[in-house]
Amino acid sequence: MVSLICTLRHHTDEVTCCAFSPSLLATSSGDKTLRVYTTADFSELPFSPLRGHGYGVHCCCFSSCGSFLLSCSTDGSVIVWSAETGEVKATLEHPGRSPLRVCALAPDSSLLLAGACDGTAALWDFRSKTLRRCATVSEASVVACCFSPCAQMFVTGCTRGDLKLWDAYTSLLHAEKDAHDLGVTCCCFAAQFIVNGCCVEFRLASCGQDSQLKIWIVSQREGAACTMKLLQTLTSQTAPVLSCAFSSDGEWVVSGSVDKSVAVYDASLGTVLQTLKQHDRYVTTVALSPTFPWIATGSMDRSVNVWRIGDEDDSTAAESKETQCQGRKLPGHSGLLLTDWSEDDVQTWLRDEGLVELVSVFKANNIDGPELSQLNKETAAELGIESVGLRGRLLRRIEALKAEQNGSEAPDEFLCPITRELMKDPVIAADGYSYERESIESWIRGKNKTSPMTNLPLQTTLLTPNRSLKMAITRWKSNQELRVAQHLITKAD
């Protein structure tokens, strides 16, 4: 019924969110980027990846019409991108610069909502991009939010486990205490609703650290208080459920879990239709296309799986689609080190990076992976690349490529939790975690006196050098350089 058609492996850190528009798929990651693909063949668009956030991106979503892509980050900002060009249309900052964990756009694109680690929710008028209100909605981090289909209400979920229903003016309509033990992780409304006289009923899905997916009926009656009634509790997954989403017709609800599985349920009956097990680590996000039979799932294993909903008769088409998608992977994501690239790999990379005008130059000079990795300003000039802008763009892409390959191979404990980059001067903060000195100092200077990892107050801003970790990183880097040198010697022989 559901079959895997494509695996996308372009991110260099955990995938945090997936989102569909009528014609695009967007993914976000701890690597500070968003990537955008066409749903025609799931190839990456020329302007992708999108870079603009200073820290990891936690969430992304499209406007209903598909014209805008929004993203929020630990850097405390929401960026509004053009979905057609990748251009930044606006950058909206949380008033307190608190890290943002989740964002949502109203179905009519009237309001933009973002939930923050300090327990506040910021609400902007989307058309004018002006802040409407920033209100405290929880004593804990706000990690989930969604608008009702009518755009007149929104729900917030926090790490304390509460779900709260608000009107468009941030007046509390209903509070469901301890909806999920140990914390809410995600929530979403089904697009359909029922009007019965003067009463409107919506379906809300929520999931949490209690390993449960819950379906609620949210009722709004004219002249009466809003109510939330638990309809179903779904427990097929054996570990915390991190993400959930309804299909566009409301017939299915899908969830991703720490147990590495994706569960597909009949939303009305609550029965499990299929369990998908393809990821190697936690499934952090799920999304369903509003127009096509696609499901996208993202994971801490840094991959995005795209699934096709269909009968077994469609298996041949699915197999064809899988071959088509996987055949488009960049050489840098095929498992090869840069120093293993052939001349053809380098030329393919140039085309994919939008540097087509350099292909003939590189071909004439027989530039392969090892030569590309050693290229600098002087050698680029010797190749006859006279345009300063083109030369600079090439060198930046090479540095990004090398950083991507180095970062993807480095053990997770060697990466700063804030920037997700290899640490040079690791220090231990009061929360017991190690960070890159410059990053944690910048974090503290930005009036963030809470831990980036736990959101609890830092008892002191004193930072202690982590010399043992620094030595371990130095040894690892030396081993990497030695491995590359040995490879070059072997290749020369």
Side-chain angles (χ1 to χ4, degrees):
M1 185 172 61
V2 178
S3 55
L4 179 66
I5 63 164
C6 188
T7 298
L8 308 171
R9 301 184 185 276
H10 297 120
H11 284 297
T12 60
D13 204 337
E14 66 178 275
V15 178
T16 55
C17 192
C18 296
F20 279 103
S21 76
S23 60
L24 301 175
L25 167 66
T27 62
S28 63
S29 169
D31 64 11
K32 301 185 284 189
T33 71
L34 294 99
R35 292 185 178 268
V36 188
Y37 308 86
T38 172
T39 54
D41 59 4
F42 291 101
S43 59
E44 194 167 11
L45 296 185
F47 59 74
S48 178
L50 303 179
R51 294 183 172 92
H53 286 291
Y55 298 136
V57 185
H58 288 294
C59 184
C60 63
C61 62
F62 283 99
S63 59
S64 297
C65 62
S67 297
F68 299 103
L69 172 62
L70 292 82
S71 60
C72 69
S73 164
T74 304
D75 63 15
S77 71
V78 176
I79 296 181
V80 181
W81 313 81
S82 166
E84 296 179 357
T85 64
E87 177 188 0
V88 175
K89 292 295 186 180
T91 300
L92 310 176
E93 294 185 350
H94 182 276
R97 296 305 303 271
S98 180
L100 298 177
R101 297 292 302 276
V102 64
C103 61
L105 190 61
D108 62 359
S109 297
S110 59
L111 298 172
L112 166 62
L113 177 68
C117 284
D118 63 0
T120 61
L123 192 65
W124 287 272
D125 180 284
F126 184 67
R127 293 183 178 89
S128 65
K129 308 298 186 295
T130 56
L131 183 67
R132 189 165 172 173
R133 190 171 181 194
C134 184
T136 299
V137 297
S138 172
E139 296 178 0
S141 294
V142 180
V143 293
C145 69
C146 61
F147 280 95
S148 64
C150 64
Q152 300 301 307
M153 301 184 295
F154 64 87
V155 172
T156 60
C158 69
T159 53
R160 190 170 181 173
D162 303 336
L163 285 171
K164 293 181 180 179
L165 183 66
W166 309 82
D167 68 12
Y169 301 95
T170 61
S171 296
L172 183 64
L173 301 176
H174 179 82
E176 195 69 31
K177 295 288 186 181
D178 301 317
H180 287 277
D181 190 25
L182 303 178
V184 176
T185 53
C186 185
C187 63
C188 66
F189 275 102
Q192 296 71 29
F193 55 91
I194 299 173
V195 179
N196 186 8
C198 60
C199 180
V200 183
E201 290 187 351
F202 306 92
R203 278 185 303 165
L204 174 73
S206 67
C207 55
Q209 299 288 347
D210 55 6
S211 308
Q212 296 180 347
L213 172 65
K214 294 183 177 181
I215 309 295
W216 309 81
I217 296 294
V218 178
S219 300
Q220 185 179 31
R221 187 179 297 274
E222 187 177 352
C226 287
T227 61
M228 280 181 62
K229 179 182 177 182
L230 181 61
L231 183 64
Q232 296 172 353
T233 300
L234 311 179
T235 59
S236 73
Q237 291 168 308
T238 59
V241 183
L242 302 181
S243 182
C244 60
F246 279 103
S247 59
S248 58
D249 58 10
E251 292 184 3
W252 289 11
V253 63
V254 180
S255 62
S257 170
V258 169
D259 68 8
K260 309 176 191 176
S261 75
V262 177
V264 182
Y265 296 93
D266 182 303
S268 298
L269 302 176
T271 54
V272 179
L273 300 175
Q274 196 167 346
T275 300
L276 312 175
K277 295 183 178 180
Q278 193 72 26
H279 287 290
D280 297 326
R281 297 188 67 188
Y282 304 167
V283 179
T284 53
T285 177
V286 298
L288 289 92
S289 170
T291 51
F292 294 103
W294 310 130
I295 300 174
T297 60
S299 168
M300 289 186 70
D301 64 13
R302 306 176 184 181
S303 73
V304 175
N305 285 333
V306 181
W307 310 80
R308 189 183 194 281
I309 304 169
D311 299 327
E312 291 184 3
D313 294 341
D314 298 322
S315 59
T316 303
E319 288 173 7
S320 173
K321 189 76 173 180
E322 181 175 7
T323 303
Q324 187 180 23
C325 289
Q326 292 186 349
R328 293 174 181 270
K329 283 193 286 188
L330 294 177
H333 300 283
S334 64
L336 293 176
L337 287 172
L338 176 56
T339 50
D340 292 326
W341 284 15
S342 66
E343 292 179 29
D344 288 339
D345 287 334
V346 172
Q347 291 162 30
T348 299
W349 174 78
L350 287 170
R351 293 188 187 95
D352 289 325
E353 291 294 321
L355 299 169
V356 180
E357 59 266 54
L358 295 178
V359 171
S360 58
V361 176
F362 276 56
K363 186 175 182 179
N365 288 274
N366 303 111
I367 303 295
D368 61 7
E371 280 76 29
L372 181 67
S373 67
Q374 299 298 318
L375 203 67
N376 55 34
K377 192 188 324 183
E378 289 73 26
T379 52
E382 290 173 7
L383 290 174
I385 306 173
E386 298 180 357
S387 168
V388 176
L390 182 59
R391 194 162 61 224
R393 197 159 79 246
L394 170 65
L395 295 175
R396 286 195 299 272
R397 298 291 171 84
I398 293 173
E399 287 304 311
L401 175 64
K402 291 194 286 188
E404 179 178 311
Q405 290 209 342
N406 288 337
S408 64
E409 294 177 355
D412 196 64
E413 60 269 24
F414 291 175
L415 306 180
C416 173
I418 298 174
T419 64
R420 301 302 298 168
E421 295 175 354
L422 193 67
M423 288 186 278
K424 299 176 182 177
D425 185 14
V427 293
I428 304 172
D431 59 0
Y433 289 92
S434 292
Y435 304 90
E436 175 62 33
R437 181 186 291 278
E438 183 179 351
S439 299
I440 189 64
E441 287 179 345
S442 175
W443 177 277
I444 294 170
R445 282 197 305 271
K447 298 182 181 179
N448 289 299
K449 298 301 186 290
T450 56
S451 162
M453 297 297 287
T454 67
N455 199 43
L456 297 174
L458 292 171
Q459 299 302 315
T460 175
T461 57
L462 181 67
L463 303 174
T464 305
N466 192 338
R467 293 187 176 86
S468 59
L469 179 58
K470 186 173 184 178
M471 290 176 62
I473 293 173
T474 301
R475 284 196 299 270
W476 178 83
K477 288 176 66 177
S478 298
N479 289 335
Q480 292 294 104
E481 292 168 359
L482 179 62
R483 187 157 67 96
V484 172
Q486 290 174 336
H487 173 78
L488 291 173
I489 293 171
T490 303
K491 191 170 183 178
D493 293 341

